[in-house]
Amino acid sequence: MISARKTSRLVEQLCQAEWQPSPKTDAGWECEFRYQPDGWKKEYRFVALRYEKTREEREKEETEQYQLFETSQYKYRVFVTDFSEPSTSWSGFTTSAAARKT
């Protein structure tokens, strides 16, 4: 398993990304970008899904373990890969990842 730390540089990449609607996943939006975290030997493809928080979630501010990143308005799932498939092929993976958390 590869783990990337939530750094200000990575959050900046998420904020500056070109988000597109994500009709084939359970997320509202998706994006992709190339990024090399500090200490990694090369850059990787990052695929991110963004979920808008409900009012209750914003008030509660509780993070579930499978959520890698969270801001005041959004939750994110971020996948790191060297696969070249388009992000729409990730819909099955995100569904199974969500199933594993329960």
Side-chain angles (χ1 to χ4, degrees), residues 13-59:
Q13 289 283 327
L14 289 168
C15 292
Q16 293 176 357
E18 292 186 32
W19 292 94
Q20 304 292 325
S22 186
K24 294 188 177 185
T25 71
D26 62 345
W29 304 273
E30 64 184 59
C31 75
E32 296 182 31
F33 54 90
R34 304 287 301 176
Y35 175 69
Q36 182 176 351
D38 291 334
W40 290 27
K41 294 180 181 180
K42 64 178 187 174
E43 70 175 17
Y44 286 87
R45 179 175 169 233
F46 280 63
V47 178
L49 301 175
R50 183 170 75 179
Y51 303 81
E52 190 162 9
K53 289 183 180 180
T54 64
R55 171 188 272 180
E56 294 80 22
E57 288 174 310
R58 287 191 302 265
E59 291 171 357

Side-chain angles (χ1 to χ4, degrees), residues 66-99:
Y66 77 96
Q67 298 295 344
L68 184 56
F69 300 120
E70 197 165 331
T71 63
S72 60
Q73 189 175 359
Y74 299 107
K75 294 186 286 188
Y76 299 91
R77 287 187 194 165
V78 182
F79 303 95
V80 182
T81 182
D82 57 2
F83 291 159
S84 60
E85 291 87 12
S87 61
T88 54
S89 66
W90 288 77
S91 61
F93 182 76
T94 60
T95 303
S96 65

